[in-house]
Amino acid sequence: MPDVEPRYAPERLKVFAIEALRRAGATDEDALLTAEGLVHADLRGIHTHGVVRVPIYVARLRRGSFNASATLTTVTVRGPVALVDAGAGLGIAMASRAMDMAIGLAAEHGVGLVGVRNSSHCGMLAGLALRAVAAGMIGVAISNADAQVAPWGARAKFLGTNPMAIAVPAGQEPPIVLDMATSVVPHSRVQAAAALGQAIPAGWAIDREGRVTIDPHEALHGALLPFGGAKGSAISLMIDVLAGLLTGALSGPDIAPLYEDLERPQGLGHLVMALHPEAFGPAGAFTARVDALIRRVRALPPAEGCDRVYLPGEIEHARMLEYRRSGIPLPSEARAAVERVADELELTAPLPET
């Protein structure tokens, strides 16, 4: 982000988000877990999943489609596998508890797998996967989402952006973190371009007639495209099967869109897994091998136009360290969202550091 953008102390943003969610009816614990997830996204520079989401979370809490009094209910447990019901609660909080449950199962069995149904938007999936890394484990998280993406060869929305994240602990190096949507870009990137009056690159989306478009407004009436053509479309479909159909959650076309149909719970699903390296041998030996892999990849000669080779999540990790020191440079749409919800709830908006 350009240095001209004002920077905000992460703790101030977290305190503000907690109070906003509490005033909208969230419990103290749900507000804390959700605020931590949102600010974590901003710290990693994933501002589409940061405090910019506070207004829609507040709106859904106040209308009841995010159930403020929900608790994570265990449906079944079968060895290292569990199914839980989120009760239409705040997705970040519920999915975080599900991952913590998976970590507990993995401590006992070597692996823990938890399916979540009846949930809602669960934020940046890297945050869930990294909860396992903090416990010395590999974390995996997938989620389905409301229909925004046309399957390969179709022109109608059917699949969600259906993200996935995998986080692998290292020894002395930062963890390797894959965090990606299965669409070319998240839906929020097109929304932001529309709000700013900017064109989008060809290949992001199609219009309602199935033609590639650079007009974000036409794209919003059409559909996003899957990454990698047929391969990305297939991965997205499988995520919908595993996170949605398997858990008993709704499927893409049946999920209530986050920013539409605010009276209806979203009903989406997640699948989270923690994998303990000790199940395969000494954890220290594994993380040492991960360190060696990271250093070998980083030492490869860079391609033309690249200054060096980066591992997945390495740029976001470095950004997080910088933003913790010097503050988070919030983009204009996030600042506007914070100010808007502050006015609505009669809160004092956090002031920038610079």
Side-chain angles (χ1 to χ4, degrees), residues 3 21 100 109 151 167 198 206 262 269 320 349:
D3 289 336
L21 294 166
D100 291 345
H109 299 284
Q198 298 174 345
I206 53 177
L262 300 191
M320 179 175 65

Side-chain angles (χ1 to χ4, degrees), residues 27-345:
T27 65
D28 290 348
E29 186 178 3
D30 279 3
L32 174 61
L33 287 169
T34 303
E36 287 177 341
L38 295 174
V39 175
H40 190 187
D42 280 319
L43 278 167
R44 292 179 70 85
I46 313 300
H47 298 300
T48 54
H49 289 62
V51 294
V52 71
R53 300 283 187 172
V54 172
I56 189 60
Y57 287 9
V58 164
R60 281 190 167 272
L61 280 166
R62 297 179 87 173
R63 296 191 185 205
S65 56
F66 280 5
N67 181 5
S69 60
T71 57
L72 192 72
T73 304
T74 300
V75 180
T76 59
V77 179
R78 188 170 181 177
V81 180
L83 173 65
V84 296
D85 191 299
L90 281 159
I92 293 176
M94 297 301 168
S96 296
R97 293 187 181 102
M99 178 56 87
D100 291 345
M101 186 177 184
I103 291 167
L105 290 169
E108 179 180 359
H109 299 284
V111 63
L113 183 66
V114 179
V116 187
R117 70 186 188 195
N118 195 18
S119 191
S120 56
H121 187 266
C122 66
M124 177 186 70
L125 287 193
L128 297 178
L130 283 165
R131 293 181 83 86
V133 168
M137 302 181 190
I138 297 168
V140 180
I142 61 174
S143 179
N144 69 355
D146 57 281
Q148 298 291 347
V149 180
W152 179 249
R155 69 181 185 188
K157 294 177 181 178
F158 189 89
L159 298 170
T161 54
N162 296 358
M164 62 184 296
I166 304 172
V168 179
Q172 297 177 341
E173 297 288 346
I176 303 174
V177 183
L178 165 71
D179 185 9
M180 56 174 277
T182 49
S183 53
V184 176
V185 292
H187 184 247
S188 53
R189 292 280 297 277
V190 180
Q191 287 178 314
L196 295 171
Q198 298 174 345
I200 60 173
W204 279 17
I206 53 177
D207 64 18
R208 68 188 80 195
E209 302 300 325
R211 298 170 299 207
V212 173
T213 182
I214 62 171
D215 184 334
H217 298 285
E218 290 293 328
L220 292 173
H221 291 294
L224 297 176
L225 290 171
F227 87 95
K231 293 180 180 180
S233 181
I235 292 172
S236 181
L237 182 67
M238 289 302 183
I239 288 175
D240 196 41
V241 169
L242 294 174
L245 304 187
L246 180 64
T247 64
L250 298 181
S251 183
D254 304 317
I255 295 168
L258 182 62
Y259 286 90
E260 303 170 24
D261 197 2
L262 300 191
E263 310 300 324
R264 182 164 65 96
Q266 288 194 278
L268 52 76
H270 328 301
L271 196 68
V272 297
M273 180 177 72
L275 181 62
H276 205 316
E278 289 283 354
F280 298 87
F286 169 70
T287 55
R289 293 195 294 270
V290 174
D291 278 348
L293 171 68
I294 290 170
R295 291 162 186 163
R296 289 184 69 185
V297 172
R298 190 185 290 144
L300 292 170
E304 184 178 356
C306 299
D307 58 343
R308 49 158 290 194
V309 180
Y310 289 92
L311 276 294
E314 189 175 6
I315 292 174
E316 290 81 1
H317 181 81
R319 189 182 288 142
M320 179 175 65
L321 297 180
E322 180 206 340
Y323 289 178
R324 281 177 176 164
R325 290 192 304 267
S326 57
I328 299 171
L330 284 184
S332 58
E333 57 268 31
R335 299 197 303 270
V338 166
E339 291 165 4
R340 185 167 66 253
V341 82
D343 289 342
E344 178 185 343
L345 298 175

